């Protein structure tokens, strides 16, 4: 698998963050098996496909929490979480803050940026 293909996989994920990207859909997009895509994605990006998607969605949610007045439940649903509780658990595991505390304290936690493949 070429670096260009890996880059297109990352781009596809970024383009589909709001649409619940899945490994089967990405594999179909690039034309390789799910197993092979998963292994190569992990090799080049350094984390699993699932973990990458989760971290990017949470980073986008962090931006929404700081830059909008949207309700936390609305942000959670917008980023593909099934409930306020699921979002809060994932968010707190990701950065050590609940969404509400993050919004009020505005800690300088860096976002998980898009993977750069060279």
């Amino acid at each position: 698998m070429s670096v260009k293909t890996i880059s297109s996989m990352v781009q596809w994920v970024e383009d589909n963050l709001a649409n619940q990207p899945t490994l089967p859909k990405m594999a179909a997009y690039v034309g390789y098996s799910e197993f092979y895509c998963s292994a190569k994605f992990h090799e080049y990006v350094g984390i699993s496909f699932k973990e990458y998607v989760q971290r990017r969605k949470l980073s986008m949610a962090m931006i929404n929490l700081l830059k909008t007045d949207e309700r936390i439940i609305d942000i959670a649903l917008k980023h593909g979480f099934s409930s306020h509780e699921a979002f809060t658990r994932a968010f707190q595991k990701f950065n050590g803050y609940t969404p509400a505390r993050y919004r009020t304290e505005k800690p300088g936690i860096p976002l998980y940026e898009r993977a750069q493949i060279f």
Side-chain angles (χ1 to χ4, degrees):
M1 184 177 286
S2 71
V3 172
K4 184 177 178 182
T5 304
I6 301 294
S7 292
S8 72
M9 289 165 59
V10 170
Q11 184 61 50
W12 182 88
V13 171
E14 294 296 322
D15 291 344
N16 288 282
L17 278 173
N19 303 324
Q20 301 304 317
T22 64
L23 186 57
K25 289 177 186 175
M26 183 186 68
Y29 172 76
V30 295
Y32 288 95
S33 74
E34 292 174 36
F35 177 80
Y36 191 62
C37 284
S38 178
K40 289 299 180 180
F41 191 92
H42 190 276
E43 179 183 331
Y44 281 86
V45 176
I47 58 174
S48 70
F49 172 83
K50 182 178 178 179
E51 183 68 18
Y52 181 81
V53 169
Q54 181 86 332
R55 288 181 183 188
R56 291 295 294 139
K57 286 179 8 180
L58 288 166
S59 289
M60 297 297 101
M62 288 167 68
I63 292 168
N64 286 157
L65 285 167
L66 293 179
K67 294 189 176 194
T68 71
D69 290 329
E70 289 180 78
R71 296 180 319 156
I72 292 173
I73 183 63
D74 294 334
I75 292 171
L77 296 173
K78 179 165 107 177
H79 293 287
F81 293 89
S82 60
S83 67
H84 186 287
E85 292 79 16
F87 176 60
T88 299
R89 275 192 308 275
F91 196 90
Q92 191 162 20
K93 183 179 176 187
F94 179 62
N95 64 31
Y97 287 81
T98 64
R101 185 171 162 223
Y102 180 83
R103 180 176 262 171
T104 58
E105 293 184 17
K106 298 174 178 48
I109 298 170
L111 300 174
Y112 187 80
E113 299 291 336
R114 175 197 162 124
Q116 299 297 316
I117 309 298
F118 302 102

